[in-house]
Structures are given as C-alpha cells and as structure tokens.
C-alpha cells in the first residue's frame, strides 16, 4: 500500500505550561504531563520523515518548556521537515532563546494573544505579566526574522475585544505561517 504525502502534522511535545488558561485542553493533562522522551522523539522524526511530512507544528502545553526543543528543530530540519510552533510567547521574551530557535532552523511561530491589553490578557492566562512577555516574544520573533503570526481563542472574557486585538496585531509585520 502506498502512503500519500502528509503536508502538516501537529506534534504535542509537552503538556506543561507556564500559563493557566481556564479553557485550555492541556490544563486537564497537566497532572499526567510527560514530555516527549528522547526515544520517542527519534522514532517520531523517523516516522514523519518516512511519510515525507512537509512540516511539523510543535504544540503543547507550551512547547518552549520542552528542554530539547532546539535539538528537535535541528533534527527535523536535517530531515527536510519545516518546523512551526504555537506558543504563548512568554519564553521568547528572552532574545537569546529566540535567536537559538532561529539558529536551530525554526520556520514560523504563532503567538497566542488573549486580550488587547495587559489587564485582560493576564486575567485570561491567570499570570501577571504574561501580556508583556508575550508581546516581547512576538517582537523578538520579528527581530530575529522568524515568521510570526498570532491566534486568539475567543471566550466569554474576550469576546468583545476581538477588534482591539486585531488593531493591536496590525502594528506588527506578521506573516501567515
């Protein structure tokens, strides 16, 4: 049987997260949270390479908390697999970490913006200071040349803020990834 080419695979590498969004599926997984093991990482990459997958999107939880993320990105790109990521962006506020991901070969990152201002975003993520870190992470992605986009999970707390979120993100050089 011939296997057809699969364009994109979403790969959860950890369910740990440094935000506490009430609506998040990963929040329910935290008690059983285990990172992708080295052995499974290698098996997944071989399997995805054999299937000629074009791109993987690293998800979690928060994928930047995965300790071997740079190695995973490097190994994926060696196999001609593009790597994207969906992140809350907080750890990307560290420019050196963001640059490390760029140097590893990451192709694109989508940052979750849950509100157009610090008060609303931090309320939804349940972490004081998360808005500032997420926005700094978005800015660092752009500075390092990593294609950046944003996403927002609409919920009862931000349903009337979407226009403001759009206005906020229009200020950045975002790319659909």
């Amino acid at each position: 049987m011939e296997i057809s080419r699969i364009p994109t695979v979403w790969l959860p590498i950890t369910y740990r997260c440094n935000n506490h969004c009430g609506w998040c599926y990963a929040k329910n997984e935290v008690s059983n949270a285990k990172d992708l093991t080295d052995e499974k990482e290698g098996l997944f990459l071989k399997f995805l390479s054999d299937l000629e997958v074009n791109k993987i999107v690293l998800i979690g939880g928060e994928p930047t908390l995965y300790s071997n993320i740079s190695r995973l990105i490097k190994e994926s790109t060696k196999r001609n697999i593009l790597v994207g990521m969906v992140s809350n962006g907080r750890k990307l506020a560290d420019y050196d970490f963001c640059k490390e991901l760029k140097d590893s070969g990451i192709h694109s990152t989508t940052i979750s913006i849950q509100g157009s201002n610090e008060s609303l975003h931090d309320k939804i993520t349940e972490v004081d200071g998360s808005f500032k870190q997420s926005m700094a992470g978005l800015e660092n992605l752009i500075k390092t040349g990593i294609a950046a986009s944003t996403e927002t999970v609409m919920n009862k707390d931000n349903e009337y803020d979407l226009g403001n979120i759009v206005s906020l993100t229009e200020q950045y050089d975002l790319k659909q990834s």
Side-chain angles (χ1 to χ4, degrees), residues 29-40:
E29 297 293 331
V30 171
S31 62
N32 297 322
K34 294 197 171 136
D35 287 358
L36 188 64
T37 64
D38 291 350
E39 179 184 7
K40 284 186 180 175

Side-chain angles (χ1 to χ4, degrees), residues 6-171:
I6 299 171
T8 305
V9 170
W10 287 49
L11 181 63
I13 56 177
T14 183
Y15 284 104
R16 292 180 296 124
C17 189
N18 50 358
N19 280 348
H20 309 288
C21 307
W23 45 259
C24 186
Y25 67 90
K27 187 174 184 175
N28 295 324
E29 297 293 331
V30 171
S31 62
N32 297 322
K34 294 197 171 136
D35 287 358
L36 188 64
T37 64
D38 291 350
E39 179 184 7
K40 284 186 180 175
E41 179 184 307
L43 291 172
F44 273 125
L45 287 179
K46 180 180 181 337
F47 180 68
L48 297 174
S49 182
D50 290 347
L51 289 176
E52 298 181 357
V53 168
N54 293 329
K55 180 179 180 178
I56 59 173
V57 178
L58 305 177
I59 62 170
E62 173 50 40
T64 61
L65 298 181
Y66 180 62
S67 62
N68 295 319
I69 192 167
S70 294
R71 180 189 68 205
L72 175 59
I73 293 167
K74 284 178 190 173
E75 291 302 315
S76 299
T77 56
K78 282 181 191 174
R79 296 170 185 260
N80 296 315
I81 300 172
L82 289 175
V83 181
M85 175 173 62
V86 177
S87 170
N88 63 34
R90 292 182 54 207
K91 195 166 174 188
L92 298 170
D94 175 348
Y95 181 83
D96 292 335
F97 178 72
C98 200
K99 180 86 170 80
E100 178 184 324
L101 296 183
K102 170 70 173 176
D103 293 344
S104 298
I106 196 160
H107 174 264
S108 59
T109 298
T110 300
I111 300 294
S112 299
I113 304 297
Q114 302 309 326
S116 65
N117 58 67
E118 185 174 358
S119 175
L120 180 56
H121 181 93
D122 290 4
K123 175 186 174 188
I124 292 170
T125 64
E126 300 180 21
V127 177
D128 290 342
S130 64
F131 179 77
K132 286 180 181 176
Q133 288 178 320
S134 294
M135 297 308 295
L138 180 62
E139 291 170 7
N140 282 341
L141 289 171
I142 294 166
K143 284 178 193 172
T144 57
I146 299 170
S149 61
T150 65
E151 61 87 21
T152 301
V153 176
M154 298 308 298
N155 60 70
K156 65 179 175 48
D157 291 321
N158 67 6
E159 64 185 337
Y160 299 107
D161 195 43
L162 183 58
N164 295 328
I165 295 169
V166 170
S167 293
L168 171 69
T169 59
E170 284 178 334
Q171 300 171 40

